């Protein structure tokens, strides 16, 4: 038996036969051609096929991993249409009089290298995407089949790394787990794994791949990140026991549906769920969340090819509110910029996008966008219990401008005789240290705070949340972060405002007791974490 260690990205256990993932990388040869027009035509046809394939993958991803995670395949479709990428392919074919496959392969290498050498972690990640789309294009040109198909028995897929499209194309019913030798826990592949509920470990190292033989037995512990190649009987027994415990735990959690989120000594907390679009409502209801604590409205914009109209937004918000049947729904206004870029916003490139023109800064600079969204939100407020939340707040004047804009919109709707809920709660995200430090000034202005620990962590610890290299430096339990949350909670309560946490830290069960002691009123987590969090809350005594 050989033991390897990686990073568990989905906490579950599997034991089974290994399938070494092989790409049918078509060997690309340089062939001189005389009819370059024919090659250009072949490229166009291959692109059409690639777009068809990616559209199908996108649809599959939408169903299996949700809108947020499926978005990468829309990006791939857009990349196939990128002018620079296509100009490069065309120019290589025309000037060098070579075959299309060769032109794509050279373009792929050049672009991938260019992206990899950029400082920005987000752009570096595009390097893998260029390779992914180029390999697809080459496969379409040579009409070679898809990658390794998993057939017959369920297997443990082992690969050097998996591209997002490869991950989603794995047939969930035939994959017991997957292990990659490389990759970071912030990669799209890791995020997809979490959402596909497949045990997964990444970054097991080159030696792990060397130790494998097709069909050998592999044990994967997604809780600890351990991988066992040719495990001994005792290890198999231990893993099987863990697997049985996991199943029992999942069943027990189901029994918590309908139960209160109350500690042993009677303290209640709201447990809500985070979603990125209307498609997430099913998971919210299936996991018995008490409401939606964060609806990331920017995904409506990310999924559109142009600014979504007031009517389109109204319909989406109304649908969420109606589906939640009177339960609270906190919709966050547009939070783009930084890692979420949208072409039609035509934003300038920035050296430090996380510290740049994003979120509320865009809305306050371009009030026509903000106003349209607020009108849609207020109109939807007549159909449920809506709360509106503003992201990336740093100052009193920003909050005042948001409140003024809301008042203006309410007056407009009144004049137009359009129904809305006058009592719609207004709140802000506490996700900059500045907002936490002046929370005594901000709290009297709003009905609630919601702590965005993802950004609060990156700004407090000065660690870019997109940069995989910084993982060892990110201490999510850092005292500075916890003190900022506690300070915000005190100031919220002193001013009759409620406070929630909607960043990833809300799901960290080792902090639940501390959060409840701080008086946090609401924890909003990904839908699969609702029941484990309820279980945790019910086991705590604050006395
Ligand atoms: C956060 O920053 O914690 C948050 C919830 O917002 P997002 O992750 O969308 O930036
Ligand atoms: Mg944030």
């Amino acid at each position: 038996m050989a033991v390897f260690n990686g990073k568990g990205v989905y906490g579950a256990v599997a034991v089974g036969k290994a399938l070494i993932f092989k790409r049918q990388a078509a060997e690309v040869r340089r062939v001189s051609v005389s009819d370059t027009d024919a090659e250009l035509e072949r490229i166009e046809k291959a692109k059409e096929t690639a777009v068809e394939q990616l559209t199908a993958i996108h649809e599959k991803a939408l169903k299996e991993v949700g809108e947020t995670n499926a978005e990468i395949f829309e990006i791939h479709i857009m990349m196939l249409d990128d002018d620079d990428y296509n100009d490069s392919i065309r120019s290589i074919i025309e000037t060098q009089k070579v075959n299309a496959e060769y032109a794509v392969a050279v373009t792929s290498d050049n672009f991938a290298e260019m992206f990899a050498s950029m400082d920005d972690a987000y752009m570096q990640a595009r390097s893998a995407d260029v390779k992914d789309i180029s390999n697809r294009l080459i496969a379409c040109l040579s009409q070679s089949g898809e990658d390794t198909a998993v057939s017959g028995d369920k297997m443990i897929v082992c690969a050097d790394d998996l591209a997002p499209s490869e991950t989603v194309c794995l047939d969930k019913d035939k994959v017991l787990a997957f292990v990659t030798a490389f990759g970071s826990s912030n990669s799209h592949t890791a995020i997809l794994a979490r959402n596909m509920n497949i045990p997964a470990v990444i970054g097991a190292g080159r030696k792990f791949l060397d130790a494998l033989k097709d069909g050998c037995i592999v044990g994967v512990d997604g809780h600890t990140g351990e991988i066992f190649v040719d495990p001994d009987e005792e290890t198999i027994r231990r893993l099987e026991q863990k697997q049985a415990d996991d199943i029992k735990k999942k069943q027990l959690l189901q029994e918590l549906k309908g139960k209160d989120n109350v500690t042993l000594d009677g303290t209640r907390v709201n447990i809500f769920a985070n979603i990125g679009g209307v498609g997430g409502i099913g998971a919210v209801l299936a996991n018995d969340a008490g409401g939606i604590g964060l609806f990331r409205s920017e995904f409506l914009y990310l999924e559109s090819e142009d600014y979504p109209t007031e009517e389109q937004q109204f319909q989406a918000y109304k649908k969420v509110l109606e589906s939640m049947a009177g339960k609270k729904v906190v919709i966050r206004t547009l939070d783009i910029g930084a890692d979420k870029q949208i072409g039609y916003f035509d934003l300038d490139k920035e050296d430090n996008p996380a510290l740049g023109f994003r979120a509320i800064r865009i809305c306050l600079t371009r009030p026509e966008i903000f106003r349209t969204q607020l009108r849609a939100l207020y109109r939807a407020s007549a159909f449920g219990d809506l709360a509106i939340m503003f992201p990336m707040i740093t100052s009193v004047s920003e909050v005042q401008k948001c409140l003024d804009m809301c008042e203006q919109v309410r007056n407009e709707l009144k004049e137009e005789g359009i129904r809305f809920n006058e009592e719609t709660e207004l709140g802000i995200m506490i996700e900059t240290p500045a907002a936490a430090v002046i929370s005594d000034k901000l709290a009297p202005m709003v009905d609630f705070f919601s702590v965005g620990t993802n950004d609060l962590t990156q700004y407090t610890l000065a660690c870019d949340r997109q940069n995989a290299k910084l993982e060892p430096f990110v201490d999510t339990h850092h005292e500075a972060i916890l003190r900022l949350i506690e300070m915000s909670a005190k100031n919220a309560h002193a001013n009759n405002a409620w406070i929630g946490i909607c960043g990833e830290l809300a799901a960290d069960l080792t902090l639940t007791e501390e959060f409840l002691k701080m008086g946090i009123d609401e924890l909003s987590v990904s839908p699969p974490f609702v029941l484990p969090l309820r279980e945790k809350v019910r086991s705590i005594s604050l006395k």
Side-chain angles (χ1 to χ4, degrees), residues 261-535:
N261 308 310
V262 60
T263 61
L264 293 170
D265 53 318
T267 301
R268 278 169 197 278
V269 63
N270 283 323
I271 301 183
F272 289 179
N274 298 343
I275 58 171
V278 179
I281 298 169
V284 173
L285 298 174
N287 287 284
D288 196 30
I292 292 174
L294 171 64
F295 177 105
R296 291 178 159 102
S297 72
E298 55 275 11
F299 287 102
L300 284 178
Y301 293 74
L302 283 158
E303 283 150 18
S304 286
E305 282 177 5
D306 203 346
Y307 298 98
T309 62
E310 178 182 320
E311 189 58 27
Q312 284 166 337
Q313 293 190 55
F314 164 65
Q315 291 300 343
Y317 305 146
K318 175 169 171 264
K319 188 159 180 198
V320 178
L321 284 157
E322 285 180 337
S323 311
M324 291 304 291
K327 290 182 175 161
K328 179 154 305 290
V329 176
V330 181
I331 301 187
R332 174 175 77 185
T333 59
L334 180 64
D335 182 7
I336 60 152
D339 55 322
K340 297 180 205 130
Q341 293 291 338
I342 304 180
Y344 58 83
F345 272 75
D346 219 7
L347 300 174
D348 292 335
K349 257 185 110 15
E350 296 175 309
D351 286 342
N352 281 312
L355 301 180
F357 190 53
R358 61 172 290 201
I360 204 66
R361 301 169 182 181
I362 296 177
C363 288
L364 293 176
T365 313
R366 298 179 61 180
E368 72 289 354
I369 296 176
F370 200 23
R371 188 173 152 271
T372 304
Q373 181 168 37
L374 289 174
R375 278 183 62 95
L377 284 167
Y378 269 110
R379 282 175 57 197
S381 70
F383 298 87
D385 184 3
L386 172 69
I388 301 174
M389 172 159 82
F390 306 107
M392 275 296 289
I393 292 294
T394 60
S395 70
V396 166
S397 74
E398 283 164 356
V399 178
Q400 192 53 55
K401 284 181 191 146
C402 292
L403 300 182
D404 291 347
M405 186 65 120
C406 287
E407 191 181 1
Q408 197 184 316
V409 164
R410 286 195 302 268
N411 289 338
E412 275 174 25
L413 295 177
K414 254 186 232 164
E415 270 171 34
E416 293 165 32
I418 296 175
R419 206 159 59 94
F420 65 93
N421 177 10
E422 296 256 11
E423 307 296 314
T424 301
E425 287 193 326
L426 297 175
I428 57 170
M429 291 199 65
I430 300 287
E431 53 183 349
T432 65
V437 171
I438 59 161
S439 51
D440 57 330
K441 300 245 168 70
L442 301 175
M445 306 176 77
V446 295
D447 298 301
F448 68 96
F449 286 161
S450 186
V451 186
T453 51
N454 309 335
D455 278 316
L456 188 61
T457 304
Q458 91 163 333
Y459 296 128
T460 306
L461 303 185
C463 283
D464 179 354
R465 65 193 265 194
Q466 293 291 111
N467 189 339
K469 275 196 225 114
L470 297 182
E471 250 171 67
F473 301 95
V474 180
D475 171 10
T476 53
H477 292 200
H478 195 294
E479 197 180 339
I481 300 166
L482 298 175
R483 281 200 210 174
L484 290 173
I485 300 175
E486 189 172 27
M487 186 192 294
S488 306
K490 274 201 188 112
N491 288 325
H493 291 151
N495 290 282
N496 294 323
W498 58 267
I499 179 164
I501 299 177
C502 63
E504 294 298 306
L505 216 54
D508 184 335
L509 303 183
T510 63
L511 287 175
T512 311
E513 184 168 343
E514 194 159 348
F515 289 152
L516 295 184
K517 283 187 175 147
M518 289 179 192
I520 297 297
D521 302 292
E522 175 245 24
L523 293 163
S524 192
V525 294
S526 305
F529 289 97
V530 168
L531 293 174
L533 184 53
R534 176 170 299 162
E535 184 189 39

Side-chain angles (χ1 to χ4, degrees), residues 211-277:
L212 284 179
K213 278 191 208 78
D214 244 339
C216 70
I217 299 294
V218 172
V220 180
D221 186 339
H223 297 285
T224 61
E226 286 169 305
I227 309 131
F228 307 88
V229 176
D230 293 325
D232 54 33
E233 301 236 321
E234 164 58 20
T235 306
I236 294 181
R237 207 197 43 73
R238 198 165 47 78
L239 290 175
E240 283 175 349
Q241 183 57 50
K242 252 188 160 176
Q243 222 172 5
D245 291 348
D246 281 347
I247 292 169
K248 226 183 273 161
K249 190 146 197 277
K250 262 198 185 152
Q251 284 164 348
L252 280 175
L253 284 175
Q254 294 304 308
E255 290 172 13
L256 285 174
K257 284 191 181 172
K259 300 241 165 87
D260 288 337
N261 308 310
V262 60
T263 61
L264 293 170
D265 53 318
T267 301
R268 278 169 197 278
V269 63
N270 283 323
I271 301 183
F272 289 179
N274 298 343
I275 58 171

